[in-house]
Amino acid sequence: MTSPLLSETGVGPAQVPASSLAALLARWLPRQRWFTGQGRDITGVSVAAATALTADCYHLLVRVDQRGSADGDHYQVLLGIAAQVPPRMSPSLIGEVEARPGERLMVYDAVHDHRAAIVLLERLRRGGVTGHLRFESLPRTAVPCGLTPRVLDVEQSNTSIVYGDELILKLFRHVQPGINPDLEVTGALARHGFTQVPAPVGWFQTESPFWSTLGMVQPFLTDSTDGWELALESSRHHTGFTDEARELGRTTGELHVALAKAFPTDPGPADQPAQLADVMTHKLLRAAARVPQLRPYVPALQEIYAAAATAGGHPPLQRTHGDLHLGQVLRAHGRWHIVDFEGEPAKPVPERRADRSPVADVAGMLRSFDYAAQSGGAFHPRWGDRCREAFCAGYAESGGFDPRAVPAALSAHEADRAVYEVVYESVYRPDRIQVPLNAVARLCATHATAPADPAGPSQASEPSGPSDRLAQES
């Protein structure tokens, strides 16, 4: 049902002109970390759905059309529209528009407005429908009221609001049709008794212009530190991190076992490794077309993928984390906890929900250890080597297979991840592009000198080059 706030003339009771609002958003959206269309020209911005949360705050689904894309992308925005905004909101100001002749209104990002955050939690506590939004919570779970909100000030692909150090609400900024994998996976793991992933206690969704998950609430892990910060501190000061890395490997293996119970596994077709090699090669060629520095490594990378296509011992396909790295794990109360099962937000939801090899998650974490070894002003390869070996050893204790026993598959997944990192850094942090390029070079050199039928410890325990936290990406 179309919201009464949505019209051809504008948004809100003051009817901010649609053209003025579109122009503001077209300038503001590309500057946001969670905007997935970086580097492509915007050809159109429109409001697909709008609902009033307060007298001057609106929940919007904004459609953005860009050159080279057949379908528009949708983003979730909390928009404040008022004659004046308090000084504390000035950093969140998007711009100024003329609603009527002589009447100027301020438009701001209302995620940082405590009133809007409190209203969202209250809607989740009460449940029900408000405009195009439907709020749900688990019947056995009471969402408390009166909690003070604060927005987490971290670089990530979504926005998280913490309430009184008890709950955390994640707003999925890039909105696609269907259930978000983060809600789907954490809910399934909770039903199967896996306690090292915070269980969802509430969520909200939209049914216009399509059905989609917009946000979810989970318990907030107090006194927690993310794995990236812990690993970086250890790398900088040359302190031991192998015990933590081994435990993280065991936790990751336990996670994969739990996921295999919560979701059906798929042995895949007999030629699945060859199909995967073709997909990796296709991504490589597209990446090399965008980033010239990759082109000298294309032949060697294709050989790495081809070696994985003909190697045996691949584990069955299953649901995985989808974007595992040190920024996606938290250390709290003496245990590791795994968060953020959304996958890569730029990818279509069906692709993020698809079964994958668990080796991909392992490779993502190994790349993250390399990034930690490279960051902080010095490269500490031996620290990275020890952490990688310890992680694989821990995984082998609980995950059903030893990643070091499938070296060809692990090398291919590491190379695929490193290629992704090169493209990412070329767009977002070009000053860091040499970090994954060094990893690509080392993977290619290791493959060139490896025996045709390696035995003993696999390439997983060898350094694949410096790395960094592509981390807080998702």
Side-chain angles (χ1 to χ4, degrees), residues 147-453:
L147 301 178
T148 302
R150 60 183 172 89
V151 177
L152 286 185
D153 185 21
V154 296
E155 182 185 271
Q156 58 180 17
S157 55
N158 290 298
T159 300
S160 295
I161 305 173
V162 174
Y163 293 89
D165 286 345
E166 291 188 34
L167 299 173
I168 182 169
L169 167 62
K170 181 192 291 185
L171 300 176
F172 302 119
R173 291 293 204 157
H174 183 210
V175 179
Q176 300 183 55
I179 187 170
N180 190 282
D182 207 357
L183 176 59
E184 179 187 26
V185 172
T186 56
L189 288 172
R191 291 190 296 272
H192 281 75
F194 189 74
T195 61
Q196 286 175 266
V197 169
V201 299
W203 61 93
F204 72 108
Q205 61 204 42
T206 181
E207 296 179 1
S208 176
F210 45 72
W211 186 90
S212 178
T213 311
L214 295 176
M216 61 182 288
V217 179
Q218 296 167 286
F220 181 68
L221 295 173
T222 57
D223 300 321
S224 65
T225 306
D226 75 68
W228 169 254
E229 294 299 333
L230 291 171
L232 188 60
E233 184 74 8
S234 173
S235 174
R236 283 172 174 163
H237 295 93
H238 307 278
T239 57
F241 200 71
T242 54
D243 289 345
E244 292 87 345
R246 191 180 190 111
E247 183 187 345
L248 181 55
R250 284 196 297 270
T251 301
T252 303
E254 292 165 359
L255 169 70
H256 285 162
V257 170
L259 285 169
K261 293 177 180 177
F263 297 93
T265 59
D266 179 8
D271 63 344
Q272 190 275 328
Q275 292 181 20
L276 180 60
D278 288 342
V279 170
M280 289 178 172
T281 298
H282 180 67
K283 289 192 292 182
L284 168 64
L285 296 178
R286 284 192 303 171
R290 294 181 61 181
V291 185
Q293 297 96 312
L294 265 177
R295 293 171 191 169
Y297 302 105
V298 168
L301 289 168
Q302 288 178 308
E303 289 182 7
I304 291 174
Y305 301 153
T310 57
H314 293 264
L317 305 182
Q318 65 166 85
R319 287 300 290 266
T320 64
H321 182 281
D323 188 26
L324 191 62
H325 52 71
L326 286 165
Q328 309 283 44
V329 297
L330 299 173
R331 186 79 175 173
H333 314 300
R335 302 176 69 199
W336 285 111
H337 301 262
I338 303 176
V339 296
D340 293 337
F341 287 79
E342 187 185 2
E344 297 172 22
K347 291 183 177 180
V349 166
E351 183 177 341
R352 289 188 269 148
R353 296 180 67 212
D355 289 344
R356 304 174 68 202
S357 170
V359 177
D361 276 356
V362 174
M365 191 60 74
L366 298 186
R367 294 288 309 119
S368 199
F369 279 121
D370 275 347
Y371 258 102
Q374 174 73 356
S375 300
F379 180 29
H380 304 300
R382 296 188 68 178
W383 179 94
D385 294 350
R386 290 193 294 268
C387 289
R388 289 160 57 89
E389 171 65 24
F391 179 86
C392 287
Y395 187 95
E397 294 170 7
S398 63
F401 71 96
D402 188 337
R404 297 164 298 185
V406 287
L410 190 56
S411 294
H413 281 285
E414 281 197 74
D416 182 62
R417 179 71 179 188
V419 169
Y420 163 78
E421 292 166 358
V422 168
V423 176
Y424 174 86
E425 303 291 17
S426 73
V427 174
Y428 293 99
R429 302 185 301 190
D431 59 313
R432 302 300 306 274
I433 193 172
Q434 197 58 46
V435 173
L437 278 173
N438 287 347
V440 168
R442 188 169 302 205
L443 277 163
C444 292
T446 302
H447 176 75
T449 58
D453 184 19

Side-chain angles (χ1 to χ4, degrees), residues 108-169:
Y108 59 95
D109 180 9
V111 161
H112 300 276
D113 188 337
H114 286 186
R115 296 171 306 155
I118 290 170
V119 168
L120 278 178
L121 190 66
E122 179 62 17
R123 294 284 197 276
L124 283 159
R125 190 179 72 83
R126 296 198 325 239
V129 176
T130 301
H132 70 282
L133 307 174
R134 177 180 291 275
F135 296 87
E136 307 276 359
S137 61
L138 296 177
R140 63 181 180 276
T141 305
V143 175
C145 60
L147 301 178
T148 302
R150 60 183 172 89
V151 177
L152 286 185
D153 185 21
V154 296
E155 182 185 271
Q156 58 180 17
S157 55
N158 290 298
T159 300
S160 295
I161 305 173
V162 174
Y163 293 89
D165 286 345
E166 291 188 34
L167 299 173
I168 182 169
L169 167 62

